[in-house]
């Protein structure tokens, strides 16, 4: 077989250009294509099938081309194409080396580098989504399992880094399940916009040859061809959208990891990771560092960097940014793989997490987080307006802190002292009413409203979330099966050309 240095195809010196390109400018290197090589190979096959079926290749030439492409499957697509050289045109270079230029040079009929690489980009992102979406749904399933195990695990909620109101570990877990459900929904929307074929659009106007764009789209698992040839090749908002969605998912992952990271500190002590997720110190023998959480947290930084790189690469007038995109796409595909990996890591961490229920319960009411319901009790039982009730309870908390009284030790007498300062009279609550309002567990149980943290509310809504998750998993499976059917149809079309005298 000849190599990239033996045969340069349309880039050969003496065709349009009289000097060899400087080595460091040769971006059309096959090894740089990475994840997209299988997509380029599939497009070569589908394009050859279509050309043969349309009579643009005679039967013998069509058979020879698809047979040689099929032989690449046996030899190894990536290895064979890298050896052939030619970047995205490695199929043509391989065919030229094995079949001669009169045959090999026909594969590019009615096609351009433009639709070749755009088809490959979309198929490569699609392939990554086939890994990313199941990782998302699996993590959501783990979060729902965690919620089911902790509907009665009361804990403090936080705003401004301070204790806010009691909630449950299940309420926290289902919050993240909902965030990742939105990520899933956004990626489904991206998939629908992504799964349209640029094939046949060439570089911006298509071809005057009778190419069948719908046939190639079907063989490659696309829903339809893109309806505008210039838009198909020279608009790249889809890559920016992909990067933005990855950055959004990465940020949510990092927030989840940040919560667990904080809660695993000695000061909090809410959760502990199994040792296999941790590291230690070369000098401090007591250390148990949550390395896995730091690794998950890092994905947000990487995703934001990829987003900036992708958007920056798309600057400039229509048709100007070309070479920059070849480098930003590497960051994009790398980020797809990284996010998928971190989603799986996070699922493992949550499935094995040790949660200190007693510590969480003790902290839920230790720092006055439940007193919103003391103000509510004043409204409910004494008829006081909300603003005065709020002020009474604010004074109540301040007096407790000034007198060194902890929230669990506070009494109705302290509340009466506060009421006299604000209202000139006692609060009007009975000790029983006060105790009920100050109970953090009762605080949670009372919140049975739609979306609330009460165990019955979380179970009720989690059942709906599980139904949505099941539907999303089914949709993920359907998307993958659609592509699998197209892959089978492509191979069947190749078989048909190889076994029939006249494929038309």
């Amino acid at each position: 077989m000849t190599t990239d240095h033996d045969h340069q195809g349309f880039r050969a010196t003496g065709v349009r250009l009289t000097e060899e390109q400087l080595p460091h400018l040769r971006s059309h290197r096959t090894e740089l294509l990475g994840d997209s090589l299988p997509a380029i190979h599939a497009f070569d096959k589908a394009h050859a099938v279509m050309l043969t079926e349309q009579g643009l290749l005679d039967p013998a030439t069509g058979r020879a081309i698809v047979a040689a492409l099929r032989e690449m499957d046996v030899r190894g697509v990536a290895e064979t194409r890298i050896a052939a050289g030619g970047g995205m045109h490695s199929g043509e270079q391989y065919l030229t080396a094995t079949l001669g230029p009169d045959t090999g040079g026909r594969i590019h009929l009615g096609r351009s580098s433009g639709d070749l690489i755009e088809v490959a980009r979309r198929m490569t992102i699609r392939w990554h989504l086939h890994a990313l979406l199941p990782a998302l749904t699996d993590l959501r399933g783990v979060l729902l399992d965690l919620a089911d195990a902790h509907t009665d695990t009361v804990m403090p909620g936080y705003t401004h880094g301070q204790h806010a109101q009691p909630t449950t570990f299940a309420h926290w877990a289902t919050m993240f399940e909902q965030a990742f459900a939105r990520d899933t929904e956004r990626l489904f929307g991206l998939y629908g916009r992504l799964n349209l074929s640029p094939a046949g659009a060439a570089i911006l106007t298509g071809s005057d040859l009778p190419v069948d764009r719908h046939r190639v789209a079907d063989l490659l698992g696309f829903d339809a061809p893109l309806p505008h040839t210039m838009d198909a090749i020279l608009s790249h908002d889809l890559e920016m959208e992909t990067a933005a969605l990855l950055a959004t998912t990465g940020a949510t992952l990092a927030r989840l990891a940040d919560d667990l990271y904080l809660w695993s500190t000695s000061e909090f002590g809410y959760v502990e990771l199994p040792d296999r997720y941790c590291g230690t110190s070369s000098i401090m023998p007591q250390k148990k560092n949550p390395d896995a959480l730091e690794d998950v947290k890092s994905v947000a930084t990487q995703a934001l960097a990829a987003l900036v790189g992708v958007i920056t690469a798309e600057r400039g007038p229509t048709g100007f940014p070309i070479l920059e995109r070849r480098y930003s796409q590497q960051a994009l595909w790398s980020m797809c793989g990284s996010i998928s990996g971190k989603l799986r890591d996070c699922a493992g961490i949550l499935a094995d997490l040790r949660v200190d229920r007693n510590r969480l319960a003790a902290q839920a009411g230790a720092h006055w987080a439940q007193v919103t319901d003391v103000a509510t009790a004043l409204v409910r039982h004494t008829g006081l307006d909300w603003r005065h009730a709020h002020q009474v309870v604010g004074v109540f908390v301040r007096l407790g802190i000034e007198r060194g009284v902890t929230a669990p030790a506070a009494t109705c007498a302290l509340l009466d002292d506060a009421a006299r300062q604000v209202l000139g009279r006692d609060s009007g609550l009975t000790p029983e009413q006060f105790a009920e309002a100050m109970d953090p567990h009762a605080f949670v149980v009372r919140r049975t409203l739609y979306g609330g943290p009460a165990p019955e509310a979380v179970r009720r809504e989690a059942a709906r979330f599980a139904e949505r998750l099941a539907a999303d998993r089914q949709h993920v499976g359907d998307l993958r099966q659609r592509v699998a059917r197209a892959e089978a149809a492509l191979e069947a079309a190749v078989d048909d050309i190889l076994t029939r005298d006249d494929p038309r």
Side-chain angles (χ1 to χ4, degrees):
M1 182 192 301
T2 58
T3 67
D4 191 21
H5 297 290
D6 299 317
H7 174 74
Q8 294 292 326
F10 67 92
R11 297 191 184 95
T13 304
V15 180
R16 170 61 180 87
L17 306 175
T18 60
E19 296 179 325
E20 280 198 29
Q21 190 176 43
L22 293 172
H24 71 278
L25 295 178
R26 292 175 187 163
S27 60
H28 297 281
R29 298 196 301 276
T30 314
E31 61 271 20
L32 296 179
L33 294 170
D35 293 348
S36 67
L37 276 175
I40 290 170
H41 185 65
F43 188 15
D44 280 350
K45 281 185 180 179
H47 189 65
V49 166
M50 182 275 293
L51 292 177
T52 306
E53 291 176 346
Q54 291 293 100
L56 295 169
L57 295 179
D58 65 72
T61 301
R63 278 197 300 276
I65 288 175
V66 296
L69 293 172
R70 178 69 65 78
E71 179 63 25
M72 293 177 75
D73 294 329
V74 177
R75 294 187 178 188
V77 170
E79 298 87 344
T80 308
R81 285 179 173 269
I82 290 172
M88 71 186 79
H89 298 279
S90 52
E92 179 179 344
Q93 295 215 166
Y94 174 82
L95 294 171
T96 298
T98 56
L99 303 177
D102 288 344
T103 299
R106 297 180 186 275
I107 184 68
H108 204 56
L109 187 64
R111 191 172 68 169
S112 167
S113 300
D115 55 348
L116 204 165
I117 199 60
E118 290 308 317
V119 165
R121 280 199 182 101
R122 286 175 179 255
M123 290 181 67
T124 303
I125 296 172
R126 185 178 69 187
W127 174 74
H128 278 294
L129 290 181
H130 287 169
L132 185 58
L133 283 165
L136 258 177
T137 54
D138 287 347
L139 176 56
R140 289 166 57 193
V142 170
L143 284 164
L144 289 180
D145 290 342
L146 194 66
D148 186 59
H150 288 283
T151 52
D152 291 303
T153 302
V154 179
M155 65 173 288
Y158 296 86
T159 63
H160 296 272
Q162 306 295 314
H163 283 219
Q165 292 181 332
T167 184
T168 67
F169 203 77
H171 204 222
W172 172 87
T174 49
M175 171 187 68
F176 276 103
E177 192 281 331
Q178 284 293 279
F180 289 123
R182 289 190 294 274
D183 285 330
T184 306
E185 183 179 13
R186 284 186 280 263
L187 289 175
F188 282 150
L190 169 66
Y191 195 102
R193 290 180 288 278
L194 169 82
N195 207 39
L196 298 171
S197 173
I203 196 58
L204 61 91
T205 62
S207 171
D208 62 347
L209 295 168
V211 296
D212 187 343
R213 295 189 63 208
H214 287 83
R215 176 61 168 158
V216 177
D218 288 342
L219 290 173
L220 295 177
F222 289 107
D223 296 327
L226 282 157
H228 192 290
T229 58
M230 190 175 186
D231 177 59
I233 306 304
L234 299 182
S235 295
H236 293 274
D237 51 288
L238 195 75
E239 288 92 334
M240 292 187 279
E241 180 183 2
T242 303
L245 295 188
L246 291 174
T248 301
T249 301
T252 303
L253 262 176
R255 178 164 67 96
L256 189 155
D258 268 323
D259 282 359
L260 298 179
Y261 191 80
L262 182 65
W263 296 346
S264 69
T265 61
S266 300
E267 287 75 12
F268 278 79
Y270 293 170
V271 300
E272 183 182 5
L273 275 66
D275 287 355
R276 62 184 171 277
Y277 295 109
C278 300
T280 188
S281 167
S282 65
I283 189 173
M284 297 169 285
Q286 85 282 4
K287 292 296 294 296
K288 180 179 178 180
N289 301 325
D291 289 357
L293 293 175
E294 292 184 27
D295 187 52
V296 171
K297 276 157 47 74
S298 71
V299 79
T301 302
Q302 299 170 50
L304 182 59
L307 173 60
V308 172
V310 170
I311 291 180
T312 302
E314 298 304 331
R315 71 195 185 284
T318 300
F320 276 52
I322 299 293
L323 294 183
E324 300 100 317
R325 193 174 299 125
R326 291 183 181 137
Y327 297 99
S328 68
Q329 76 179 12
Q330 296 296 335
L332 187 61
W333 297 340
S334 175
M335 206 61 246
C336 285
S338 183
I339 292 283
S340 295
K342 298 302 183 288
L343 287 166
R344 290 191 293 270
D345 289 347
C346 206
I349 291 168
L350 289 170
D352 298 331
L353 193 68
R354 298 167 188 160
V355 179
D356 191 333
R357 299 169 188 259
N358 294 331
R359 171 73 174 165
L360 287 168
Q363 288 295 300
H367 299 283
W368 310 94
Q370 68 274 53
V371 298
T372 299
D373 277 12
V374 177
T376 303
L378 288 171
V379 173
R380 178 181 293 116
H381 298 299
T382 73
L384 189 64
D385 69 275
W386 171 256
R387 187 50 56 208
H388 279 98
H390 183 278
Q391 291 172 355
V392 168
V393 174
V395 173
F396 163 68
V397 172
R398 176 172 56 79
L399 291 177
I401 294 171
E402 290 173 350
R403 296 174 185 180
V405 177
T406 64
T411 64
C412 194
L414 182 63
L415 181 67
D416 287 340
D417 286 350
R420 283 190 289 273
Q421 289 191 22
V422 177
L423 306 174
R425 59 173 174 81
D426 288 350
S427 67
L429 287 186
T430 68
E432 293 77 18
Q433 291 168 341
F434 172 81
E436 177 69 14
M438 285 291 289
D439 183 346
H441 184 268
F443 181 103
V444 169
V445 170
R446 282 190 289 270
R447 278 159 171 76
T448 59
L449 76 163
Y450 180 75
E456 66 177 90
V458 170
R459 292 189 187 99
R460 180 183 64 224
E461 304 313 325
R464 288 196 313 105
F465 301 160
E467 290 176 0
R468 180 181 178 184
L469 174 58
D472 286 350
R473 280 176 162 154
Q474 180 64 50
H475 189 40
V476 171
D478 291 343
L479 294 175
R480 298 177 79 172
Q481 289 174 15
R482 164 80 172 88
V483 173
R485 287 193 297 269
E487 290 170 349
L490 176 55
E491 296 307 317
V494 170
D495 289 339
D496 188 54
I497 289 173
L498 292 173
T499 57
R500 291 177 59 187
D501 291 336
D502 183 0
R504 289 171 290 172

